Amino acid sequence: MSAQVRVVSGGLSTTVQDLGRTGRYAIGMPPSGAMDQYSFRVANLLVGNPEGAAALEATYIGPSLEFTDDRLVAVTGGDAAVTLNGEPIPMWSSTQVRSGDVLAFGMITSGARPYIAVSGGIAVPEYLGSRSTYTLIGLGGHEGRTLADGDVLPLGDGSTGEAGAVVPDELVPQFPSDIDVRAVVGLCSYRLTEAALESFLSTPWRITKDADRVGYRLRGGTLDFVEREQPFGAGSDPANVVDLGYPLGSIQVPGGDEPIVLLGDAVTGGGYVTIATVISVDRDLFGQAKTGDTIRFRDVGIDEALAARADRNRRLDRIRSALA
Amino acid sequence: MSQPVQLPPARYEHGGDEFIFVEIAEEMSMEANIKATLITQELESRQMSGLVDICPSNASYLVRFDPDVIPPADLMALLKDLEGRFQEVPEGFTLQTRVVDVPVLYNDPWTHEAMMRFRDRHQDPESTDLEYGARTNGFDSVEAFIEHLAGNPWIVTMLGFVPGLPFCYQLEPRERQVQVPKYVRPRTFTPERAFGIGGAFSVVYPVQGAGGYQLYGMSATPVLNVRQDHPDFAHSIVFPGAGDILRYRSVDRTEFDDTRREVEAGTFRYRQHDVEFSPAAFLDDPQGVNDRLLEVLYR
């Protein structure tokens, strides 16, 4: 029998994810993939997997998993009490598991999404080059859906890595509930009045319960549009534009009162005004943000976005060499 | 020949560090769409490493790239250079495409029911979406409005929102184009294969889900086939492609049901023909070009 992991309990919303199904945005296919790509990559590094191996992404309440052979596991991302056969085990480090061992989760204490990597990776079949789950359409991952009690997931050939690898403390991210997010203002921001744009950047936005892998809906203020005669084809509402592509991380404002930040399972286009784009590094922050958390946006230029990206690459490099 | 329409210079925007958004024009026109097509086709042909996605849109386009491979400033410069080369549609430019028959049951019971559930989100809760569209576009009756939508074909000017959803622009002169607003607040439910219009664009929703367009009917045939078990989807999970010309033909309930049975049995094939579409010829004589397209499709 080939190796597998048994899902004793699926948790609240657990999916198989990898780095994403890129390159098909033009047919309307969002990349999906791990919402917090930093935590995801580190989980794989800890168990000796390639960084893009498929792992599990849990939301709020993690799953219970029973192993059927010897493996290394690592849990990163949102903080939760993680146990192996009832005994606590540390996050951000690798742990040996044996056949019959059960990994389980307590409630999350900070962040939103724990990542669980298993040596060998989750070996569900690839769909269009990726093992990521896209639940909106029901494709990829395990049967295109969140895990349910009793599911059985295939595992790839395990690595021979050793347990006890640990991520240095200073490279473990913190997940506060008050979040500063860097965004590049632009796209169709000309549709907002100057006061509205200022208000967008100074408002502490609260994350509503409409927050999932597609996007996060925020509340906290009202943004006024510049009055105009609507251009042909756009539709008559001032929040409408001629339908266009939405960058991943872009912020749209239907109605002007509820900004929506588009994430991994994003709708790829539409006709609402988009006013800014969260920089790629800070998309990870949304992966660990939860309902009730507060977001403040800070306008940055492209150079600062690139510097943040370089900084993240350096942190990953340090982990790679620490764990090599 | 008609006067070439001059477009204002495109607007270039950074969508964070991984995307560049280029707005060719704020309003929709065949010219703006063709310009987006020409630039994105040229970009596609370069096969540059580090370019992740090239997405032509209605009057704009979007590019995703890896800034660790292509510096954003270099890509921005290249895109501006390409715009300079496509100021006008090149002499004799044609689109190698296909014309396709899409059977639609207009005023169907399923989209009607969905629509009635969301009257509180509509501009005119007392009308149906069809009545509202007919009245605001100056048609005497719902039937005349449907006849217009089902009459001349539509060209696919963008794919997106969800996989396989075609945004289509009707091949009509500007004065005959219909326009309707999107819902005041988007619906949380739209049936699979619903046919609707928002702004000047018609769509077929590939799957059940949210949506903000006015609902007018239901396509008997799929635009997305995740399992690729239908013959028309052998090469791609989505059927429509940018530049396709779709005719949303009005069918009765009997033909709709028959077609549904063929789709379920996996035996359905879209009626389609390869065509050469000349935007210049269309702008010069819209009805003449439409008549020829339909003749090719049904001969």
Side-chain angles (χ1 to χ4, degrees):
Chain A
M1 195 181 70
S2 57
Q4 45 191 222
V5 58
R6 270 202 339 110
V7 178
V8 180
S9 147
L12 182 65
S13 176
T14 306
T15 53
V16 178
Q17 297 293 341
D18 59 18
L19 290 175
R21 186 174 288 109
T22 49
R24 292 187 167 81
Y25 222 74
I27 64 162
M29 180 75 78
S32 300
M35 291 274 276
D36 172 359
Q37 301 241 323
Y38 180 86
S39 296
F40 172 86
R41 283 175 187 267
V42 174
N44 271 326
L45 285 167
L46 280 164
V47 298
N49 283 347
E51 282 166 53
L56 299 180
E57 175 184 280
T59 309
Y60 294 173
I61 302 168
S64 303
L65 304 170
E66 184 187 336
F67 295 89
T68 62
D69 67 351
D70 293 359
R71 295 280 161 169
L72 285 179
V73 299
V75 181
T76 64
D79 295 325
V82 187
T83 60
L84 188 66
N85 304 324
E87 297 296 318
I89 61 164
M91 290 182 60
W92 301 92
S93 67
S94 64
T95 301
Q96 178 78 52
V97 298
R98 311 274 179 208
S99 178
D101 283 357
V102 175
L103 183 82
F105 283 79
M107 266 305 287
I108 204 141
T109 52
S110 77
R113 291 184 170 86
Y115 289 88
I116 307 143
V118 181
S119 56
I122 309 294
V124 294
E126 285 194 357
Y127 183 83
L128 298 180
S130 164
R131 296 188 167 91
S132 287
T133 316
Y134 176 35
T135 57
L136 203 65
I137 303 294
L139 58 81
H142 180 67
E143 298 176 2
R145 59 170 171 80
T146 57
L147 299 185
D149 305 359
D151 282 345
V152 174
L153 304 174
L155 295 177
D157 288 336
S159 71
T160 53
E162 276 178 46
V166 179
V167 175
D169 272 350
E170 71 271 20
L171 296 172
V172 173
Q174 303 295 307
F175 304 121
S177 51
D178 235 320
I179 307 158
D180 288 317
V181 169
R182 290 162 291 189
V184 177
V185 170
L187 304 173
C188 303
S189 58
Y190 65 89
R191 291 293 302 120
L192 292 184
T193 64
E194 222 161 280
L197 198 52
E198 225 163 84
S199 153
F200 169 72
L201 292 169
S202 60
T203 298
W205 297 97
R206 196 167 287 274
I207 297 174
T208 67
K209 62 176 175 37
D210 293 324
D212 57 21
R213 291 184 42 87
V214 175
Y216 276 46
R217 192 180 278 257
L218 313 174
R219 212 168 285 154
T222 302
L223 307 172
D224 293 324
F225 296 101
V226 174
E227 280 188 34
R228 69 167 174 181
E229 189 177 326
Q230 283 291 93
F232 178 80
S236 51
D237 191 277
N240 288 165
V241 292
V242 164
D243 297 65
L244 40 75
Y246 293 150
L248 210 56
S250 64
I251 303 164
Q252 51 178 237
V253 285
D257 53 353
E258 290 193 352
I260 299 170
V261 183
L262 293 174
L263 298 163
D265 289 354
V267 291
T268 63
Y272 291 115
V273 169
T274 45
I275 58 169
T277 310
V278 173
I279 68 172
S280 61
V281 170
D282 286 0
R283 287 201 302 262
D284 286 1
L285 297 175
F286 282 93
Q288 299 298 351
K290 54 193 179 302
T291 299
D293 286 358
T294 306
I295 305 274
R296 279 169 210 272
F297 293 102
R298 187 160 67 80
D299 180 18
V300 296
I302 189 72
D303 290 339
E304 196 172 338
L306 292 174
R309 194 179 173 98
D311 179 60
R312 202 256 306 258
N313 288 345
R314 275 193 297 275
R315 277 182 291 137
L316 280 169
D317 275 341
R318 285 176 60 195
I319 294 177
R320 286 176 196 121
S321 46
L323 298 179
Chain B
M1 287 294 288
S2 58
Q3 288 292 318
V5 176
Q6 295 301 314
L7 295 167
R11 237 167 32 78
Y12 291 79
E13 296 276 346
H14 287 288
D17 48 325
E18 294 185 345
F19 288 83
I20 291 177
F21 167 69
V22 184
E23 187 178 70
I24 308 278
E26 280 184 35
E27 67 167 26
M28 181 59 186
S29 66
M30 180 68 79
E31 292 85 343
N33 184 255
I34 294 297
K35 190 163 163 181
T37 303
L38 287 166
I39 295 171
T40 51
Q41 277 181 355
E42 172 64 25
L43 196 57
E44 194 87 58
S45 74
R46 308 242 170 154
Q47 306 231 322
M48 288 164 64
S49 69
L51 260 186
V52 180
D53 288 293
I54 302 169
C55 312
S57 311
N58 295 317
S60 58
Y61 69 94
L62 183 70
V63 173
R64 186 182 186 188
F65 63 102
D66 179 350
D68 299 335
V69 180
I70 311 177
D74 292 4
L75 183 56
M76 195 69 109
L78 169 66
L79 300 181
K80 287 179 177 171
D81 176 58
L82 291 183
E83 187 197 349
R85 296 186 201 186
F86 295 108
Q87 296 285 21
E88 285 180 8
V89 178
E91 186 74 33
F93 169 77
T94 58
L95 217 50
Q96 300 299 322
T97 184
R98 54 187 182 167
V99 56
V100 183
D101 175 77
V102 183
V104 172
L105 183 62
Y106 289 84
N107 206 3
D108 66 295
W110 307 283
T111 57
H112 182 83
E113 190 190 336
M115 176 190 79
M116 295 313 283
R117 274 172 56 190
F118 296 99
R119 289 336 279 160
D120 60 326
R121 300 177 181 222
H122 195 270
Q123 288 76 6
D124 181 1
E126 302 303 312
S127 298
T128 66
D129 289 9
L130 274 167
E131 286 163 359
Y132 176 72
R135 193 177 67 244
T136 55
N137 280 285
F139 289 89
D140 296 341
S141 64
V142 162
E143 290 69 32
F145 186 47
I146 291 172
E147 204 173 304
H148 180 85
L149 302 177
N152 280 327
W154 301 66
I155 186 163
V156 178
T157 47
M158 167 176 170
L159 285 178
F161 182 64
V162 293
L165 182 140
F167 287 85
C168 309
Y169 182 65
Q170 195 165 24
L171 293 175
E172 291 279 12
R174 173 70 63 89
E175 64 276 11
R176 281 177 51 86
Q177 292 271 346
V178 300
Q179 279 203 90
V180 287
K182 293 149 199 168
Y183 270 45
V184 178
R185 282 177 300 132
R187 291 177 307 276
T188 54
F189 173 79
T190 310
E192 182 182 318
R193 287 176 285 101
F195 171 82
I197 297 192
F201 302 97
S202 71
V203 299
V204 173
Y205 287 89
V207 290
Q208 178 182 313
Y213 277 29
Q214 309 273 334
L215 295 178
Y216 292 156
M218 180 170 282
S219 164
T221 56
V223 289
L224 170 73
N225 178 213
V226 169
R227 288 193 305 274
Q228 292 187 273
D229 50 8
H230 286 294
D232 284 327
F233 293 81
H235 301 293
S236 173
I237 64 165
V238 305
F239 180 74
D244 277 351
I245 294 167
L246 309 180
R247 198 261 171 126
Y248 291 108
R249 181 170 55 92
S250 176
V251 300
D252 61 17
R253 181 65 191 262
T254 307
E255 182 175 352
F256 180 88
D257 288 343
D258 288 348
T259 308
R260 285 304 303 152
R261 271 191 290 275
E262 282 181 48
V263 170
E264 308 263 306
T267 56
F268 175 80
R269 300 300 302 257
Y270 274 104
R271 181 181 192 116
Q272 54 177 301
H273 277 284
D274 291 338
V275 288
E276 230 179 47
F277 176 73
S278 157
F282 169 76
L283 292 169
D284 203 36
D285 174 19
Q287 199 53 55
V289 167
N290 282 330
D291 291 345
R292 279 194 293 283
L293 286 168
L294 294 177
E295 191 193 307
V296 167
L297 179 57
Y298 298 112
R299 74 174 163 222

